[in-house]
């Protein structure tokens, strides 16, 4: 037993600087942790005091019930908004989303490209193509229904071009108008 005690004393005498350094570092680390815990505790205490201040007017049980009711109301409103948004998106598929315009000269000698073909299509490439033909003495407008990008009526080259521009317009800036 005496030899063990002597060995321990000899060990401490040999490594006392390292042991003190290690303990000093450990104390510094613990001190930093203490400061961090103290800050977090102050934040928690502030929040707790705020809740308890409100709880003086209401019971905590009543506050929790109010929070659950508010959460349920918000959830129901979100579901209602999601339903309405889906309905709007579904209806939007049938609104004009793609436009193609082609200006051209229908007759020789009539300049300034006053004739035009306009294709107005929805997301399914359904809609109408309108062709306005300008002549010096008259102007005529035709409308032809479009289903899936095609028409059961004969289409002019300009009407086909307007439909093609409109079909590609889904991926282009809507302000783009080709001549």
């Amino acid at each position: 037993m005496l030899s063990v005690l002597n060995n321990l004393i000899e060990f401490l005498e040999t490594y006392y600087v390292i042991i003190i350094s290690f303990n000093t570092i450990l104390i510094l680390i613990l001190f930093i942790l203490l400061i961090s815990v103290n800050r977090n505790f102050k934040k928690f205490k502030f929040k707790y005091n705020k809740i308890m201040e409100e709880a003086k007017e209401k019971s905590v049980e009543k506050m929790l019930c109010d929070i659950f009711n508010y959460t349920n109301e918000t959830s129901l409103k979100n579901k209602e908004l999601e339903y309405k948004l889906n309905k709007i998106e579904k209806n939007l598929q049938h609104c004009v989303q793609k436009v193609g315009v082609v200006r051209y000269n229908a007759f020789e000698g009539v300049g300034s490209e006053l004739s035009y073909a306009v294709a107005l299509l929805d997301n399914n490439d359904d809609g109408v193509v309108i062709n306005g033909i300008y002549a010096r003495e008259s102007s005529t407008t035709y409308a032809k229904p479009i289903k899936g990008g095609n028409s059961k009526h004969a289409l002019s080259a300009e009407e086909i071009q307007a439909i093609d521009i409109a079909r590609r317009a889904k991926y282009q800036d809507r302000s783009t108008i080709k001549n």
Side-chain angles (χ1 to χ4, degrees):
M1 176 83 165
L2 192 58
S3 72
V4 170
L5 193 58
N6 283 337
N7 286 341
L8 181 62
I9 290 172
E10 187 180 310
F11 176 79
L12 289 174
E13 286 175 350
T14 307
Y15 296 107
Y16 78 94
V17 173
I18 294 173
I19 293 171
I20 290 174
S21 300
F22 177 75
N23 285 338
T24 305
I25 291 171
L26 187 63
I27 288 170
L28 286 173
I29 291 172
L30 290 174
F31 184 70
I32 291 170
L33 287 174
L34 177 67
I35 291 172
S36 174
V37 167
N38 192 27
R39 281 186 181 172
N40 288 338
F41 178 73
K42 283 183 181 179
K43 288 179 186 176
F44 174 77
K45 187 177 178 183
F46 176 76
K47 290 177 184 177
Y48 174 79
N49 287 336
K50 190 174 180 180
I51 290 172
M52 287 299 117
E53 189 177 301
E54 291 183 25
K56 288 179 185 176
E57 298 171 10
K58 299 181 189 177
S59 70
V60 175
E61 190 176 312
K62 173 78 169 114
M63 287 174 52
L64 285 175
C65 286
D66 290 346
I67 289 170
F68 284 128
N69 288 337
Y70 179 75
T71 303
N72 287 336
E73 288 173 13
T74 304
S75 178
L76 289 174
K77 286 180 182 177
N78 282 345
K79 287 179 183 177
E80 182 181 330
L81 289 173
E82 188 176 329
Y83 171 76
K84 287 181 179 179
L85 179 63
N86 288 336
K87 191 174 178 182
I88 288 170
E89 285 177 347
K90 187 176 179 181
N91 287 338
L92 188 61
Q93 298 295 316
H94 303 290
C95 295
V96 173
Q97 295 185 19
K98 304 180 226 175
V99 177
V101 177
V102 175
R103 291 180 56 149
Y104 64 98
N105 290 324
F107 303 104
E108 248 183 72
V110 178
S112 300
E113 296 182 333
L114 296 174
S115 297
Y116 60 88
V118 178
L120 305 169
L121 305 177
D122 65 9
N123 197 46
N124 301 315
D125 292 336
D126 297 337
V128 64
V129 64
I130 300 169
N131 194 349
I133 300 174
Y134 175 80
R136 289 191 190 275
E137 297 176 17
S138 66
S139 182
T140 308
T141 304
Y142 299 97
K144 299 174 186 173
I146 304 298
K147 188 79 171 162
N150 297 311
S151 178
K152 63 182 181 181
H153 304 281
L155 297 172
S156 69
E158 293 81 13
E159 291 169 334
I160 293 170
Q161 185 180 1
I163 292 169
D164 288 341
I165 291 169
R167 291 177 85 179
R168 289 191 315 263
K170 181 176 186 179
Y171 304 105
Q172 295 177 354
D173 181 13
R174 291 179 187 261
S175 65
T176 303
I177 298 176
K178 294 224 175 183
N179 287 333

